Amino acid sequence: MKERRDYMFTLVRQWRESGLTRQEFCLQHGITVGKFGYWISRWKEDQSGGDNGFIPMGSPKRAGHCVLSVIYPNGVRLEVPSADLGLLSSLIALA
């Protein structure tokens, strides 16, 4: 599977340097536009290092500990141990 990934990432780099549209590039290389779009997305994730701007805090869901959750309308969910209200306040202030 790694060989396939490396090959497709090479194609993505070639396409970005080619100046061709996705459709033109895919026709020349015998791949579907949909599948190529998938690999472009994977390549972009790889380039960003998978960094989505969030810092993992570990799982606050431990036996015997209460967890406070804040769920924003856009789907962002914050969960912190209820004992750490200062952290929760800081996270809310950042949003």
Side-chain angles (χ1 to χ4, degrees), residues 58-75:
S59 177
K61 298 177 184 176
R62 289 178 234 135
H65 290 85
C66 293
V67 175
L68 294 175
S69 297
V70 177
I71 304 169
Y72 292 92
N74 65 357

Side-chain angles (χ1 to χ4, degrees), residues 37-94:
Y38 165 81
W39 284 106
I40 291 170
S41 296
R42 294 284 309 269
W43 181 82
K44 286 179 181 178
E45 287 175 11
D46 187 71
Q47 295 303 299
S48 70
D51 181 15
N52 60 8
F54 291 96
I55 300 169
M57 295 174 38
S59 177
K61 298 177 184 176
R62 289 178 234 135
H65 290 85
C66 293
V67 175
L68 294 175
S69 297
V70 177
I71 304 169
Y72 292 92
N74 65 357
V76 172
R77 178 186 197 112
L78 300 175
E79 293 183 342
V80 297
S82 61
D84 199 346
L85 295 178
L87 175 60
L88 182 62
S89 176
S90 298
L91 292 172
I92 292 172
L94 291 174

